[in-house]
Amino acid sequence: LFRSGRGWTRSGTAPIILPSSHGATLITPPNSRVFATSNAMQISFVLEVIRQLNPDSVLDIGCGSGKYGVLMREYLPNARLDGVEGFAAYITDIHRVAYDHVYEVNAMEFVPKLDHGYDLAMMIDMLEHLTLDEGAQILQGLSKRAKHILISVPVWHPEQDAMHGNALQEHHAQYDVPKLRHLGFRQIWRVGGNYIALRSPTTVKLKREVLKWAATCLLPRWISRTLAPISRKLSPGHKHP
């Protein structure tokens, strides 16, 4: 089910794969300046979870403006990155460069038809836009197609209507720790106004990394200067001379 090894190759820009002919296809307006947004505080934490999982293939559901695609392309340069976005106006040249494929389709229709698996499926600030039943349904579908499932949801959010003419931006569900555990998430972290939750056989040591980041902020400059070359040599992706 899961591809092993860095077997994916990239050529050119990602194709934008439209819905089937019986669906309603949205056309991206020229010079679109419509961008999806999410909690900025969680970005480095989400990226650290992904970095520790080190997946060979990722499905980014509700990829919005594509920022996680850009970040993953930098830190997972050889991975296959596919995005799913149901609102065409969010899709720009950013997606075409960062992702291998971008599927312009509603995720609830897309996931049941997936005929191949991914190491990681992620839904960042996306699950709250589905009803509780729809959320459970899409997670059930992904559990058969992904080794790891990573999500983030707001700790609390006000009611939200459509934005930019996008009905998919409406909020329909509220999650807390018991609800997330009931859905099978055993690793849950609260970061500001969001829960980051992971279903995975791999234990991610996020708290340890956060403490390490905090400690480095307190170190005298001369220690940081001494440790910097060592840290760089030990970091993933560093090319030794």
Side-chain angles (χ1 to χ4, degrees):
L1 179 62
F2 306 109
R3 294 291 291 268
S4 60
R6 301 292 189 184
W8 306 107
T9 58
R10 289 175 55 75
S11 60
T13 58
I16 308 302
I17 301 170
L18 302 177
S20 57
S21 59
H22 63 270
T25 301
L26 297 175
I27 304 300
T28 304
N31 303 316
S32 173
R33 300 288 292 176
V34 177
F35 294 99
T37 186
S38 60
N39 185 350
M41 184 181 294
Q42 69 182 338
I43 294 174
S44 59
F45 298 90
V46 170
L47 185 61
E48 177 59 22
V49 174
I50 296 171
R51 189 193 67 80
Q52 290 191 36
L53 294 174
N54 194 31
D56 288 321
S57 55
V58 181
L59 181 64
D60 183 3
I61 299 176
C63 58
S65 295
K67 61 175 169 285
Y68 286 103
V70 172
L71 291 169
M72 289 189 290
R73 181 55 64 202
E74 177 176 355
Y75 295 102
L76 301 172
N78 297 316
R80 171 173 175 158
L81 305 180
D82 290 346
V84 178
E85 178 51 56
F87 190 56
Y90 288 159
I91 300 174
T92 67
D93 286 341
I94 292 172
H95 299 73
R96 294 173 173 88
V97 172
Y99 294 94
D100 291 282
H101 301 86
V102 180
Y103 298 92
E104 182 196 315
V105 65
N106 187 299
M108 293 300 300
E109 301 171 3
F110 176 77
V111 170
K113 298 176 182 178
L114 263 177
D115 59 1
H116 59 277
Y118 292 85
D119 286 336
L120 171 64
M122 55 187 282
M123 295 184 288
I124 305 303
D125 282 320
M126 184 273 190
L127 204 62
E128 68 272 16
H129 299 288
L130 306 176
T131 66
L132 290 173
D133 287 344
E134 288 173 336
Q137 180 181 337
I138 198 169
L139 288 170
Q140 177 64 24
L142 289 173
S143 68
K144 302 174 184 177
R145 297 168 173 86
K147 182 178 180 181
H148 316 281
I149 301 176
L150 174 64
I151 69 167
S152 79
V153 291
V155 171
W156 187 256
H157 60 75
E159 292 184 6
Q160 179 171 294
D161 296 325
M163 298 174 62
H164 316 125
N166 178 13
L168 297 176
Q169 283 284 7
E170 296 175 358
H171 283 179
H172 295 291
Q174 178 69 56
Y175 291 92
D176 55 21
V177 172
K179 286 180 181 177
L180 292 172
R181 293 199 183 282
H182 180 71
L183 290 170
F185 293 95
R186 297 292 175 261
Q187 301 180 69
I188 303 171
W189 306 272
R190 179 170 176 173
V191 178
N194 274 60
Y195 292 118
I196 299 172
L198 177 67
R199 283 172 55 170
S200 171
T202 301
T203 298
V204 168
K205 299 177 180 178
L206 186 59
K207 290 183 178 179
R208 184 192 67 181
E209 290 302 310
V210 172
L211 290 173
K212 186 190 300 183
W213 297 341
T216 57
C217 295
L218 302 175
L219 294 176
R221 186 173 181 274
W222 69 268
I223 295 181
S224 297
R225 186 173 63 247
T226 302
L227 293 177
I230 300 173
S231 176
R232 180 172 177 78
K233 288 182 179 180
L234 295 176
S235 63
H238 176 72
K239 296 182 179 179
H240 297 274

